[in-house]
Amino acid sequence: MFSIKLIKFYLLISILTILTSLFLFNAVFSFRNIVNIILLVTPVFYFIFISVKLNSIQINKLLKFLFWLNFFIYLFSLISSGVSFSSLIDSIFSFDFVNSDVDTESTSSLYFCFFVLFFLSKKNYKLFFFALFLTVIGGKRIAILASLFSSFVYLLLINYKILLNYLNSNLFKYIFSFLLLICGNLWFLLYSGYFDNVIQDYTGLSSNAFFMGRLSIAGEFFNYKPDEFDFFLGYGVGYVDNVLYNFANVERLFHNDFLRFILEFGSFFFFIWVFIHLKFITISPLAFSNFILILVLMQTDNVFLYEIAMYIFYSILSYSLILYKK
């Protein structure tokens, strides 16, 4: 039911994207819209398939296979790029993650952080610490934060099971969805320079440097966007990339799926997107923690455009919900 409702929602958003791009907005429907729609929708069909065809034991084996597959791909990438053992040691004991200045930095960090949560739920502490180690040396600060915070949420829920009763209440779902909209407004304030002095005082870096140039990319979008924001409809899936590539001539991604979803879905449909997830995932500590993990990743990265990350996310989601039903 969850996957069917989710795919119906994404198909609705896709249809609205086509209609608004053709008849409402100046940034017309393009290749960027098509790519973003495909990357948004296809992992959900995978979610439907494994939820129907596989049981929890088979999905558990699938997740372990995905973990080791990504490990060997990451290991091969380190060897092929000439990362030495001494560089690896420096990455482990250095404090350069504020600047992401490590030789072992890799997108794989965004994949391994999901396995940190998964192996914690399995009480497989050897692989839990190994996945955390890989996440750390991968050098993605947001992945390290997401793995630690989601693990904390998971431990909180399994040790204080009464909290699940609050999660399943409609009041919590409305409040949580509304708080995420407020979080989106905080991003608007950040991009407008409201927190520049705070970040400078605590990190010694400018806001743009702290976020690895992401604020300047967002600034390019807001400078060149040819249309006013539609609260209910949003700009449509792929609109942000469309503007960056075709109007601002910036060949880099937005690096904030959270704000991108609010912009492209519209605040109303973003609220619905969150509420659909909460309606089904709050029954399982692992499913809810997995959603928290991806919400954290969305703050400063393009996690929904990394199809490998989404397949891992939906595998864990399917596993946790099937396991709960049993």
Side-chain angles (χ1 to χ4, degrees), residues 72-89:
F72 284 113
I73 291 173
Y74 178 49
L75 181 63
F76 178 78
S77 69
L78 292 180
I79 295 172
S80 61
S81 60
V83 175
S84 63
F85 183 75
S86 60
S87 296
L88 179 62
I89 298 299

Side-chain angles (χ1 to χ4, degrees), residues 43 46 63 66 70 107-115 257 290 293-294 297 302-316:
Y46 163 85
L63 280 162
L66 290 173
N70 280 282
T107 305
S108 296
S109 183
L110 299 170
Y111 311 149
F112 292 127
C113 65
F114 287 99
F115 293 109
D257 273 352
N290 191 42
L293 190 154
I294 206 165
L297 290 181
N302 316 290
V303 63
F304 275 79
L305 300 184
Y306 298 140
E307 66 277 12
I308 298 175
M310 294 314 301
Y311 289 134
I312 298 171
F313 167 74
Y314 283 121
S315 296
I316 295 175

Side-chain angles (χ1 to χ4, degrees), residues 102-145:
V102 288
D103 294 335
T104 55
E105 182 184 359
S106 171
T107 305
S108 296
S109 183
L110 299 170
Y111 311 149
F112 292 127
C113 65
F114 287 99
F115 293 109
V116 173
L117 177 63
F118 174 67
F119 290 131
L120 177 64
S121 72
K122 297 287 295 179
K123 296 183 179 180
N124 189 335
Y125 298 117
K126 290 182 179 178
L127 287 180
F128 162 77
F129 285 112
F130 185 46
L132 183 59
F133 167 75
L134 293 172
T135 302
V136 171
I137 67 170
K140 295 292 185 181
R141 295 168 297 169
I142 195 65
I144 300 169
L145 174 63

Side-chain angles (χ1 to χ4, degrees), residues 12 38 125 147 200 244 249 262 269 307:
L12 171 63
I38 291 173
Y125 298 117
S147 61
Q200 179 73 41
L244 288 175
N249 294 318
I262 294 178
F269 285 108
E307 66 277 12

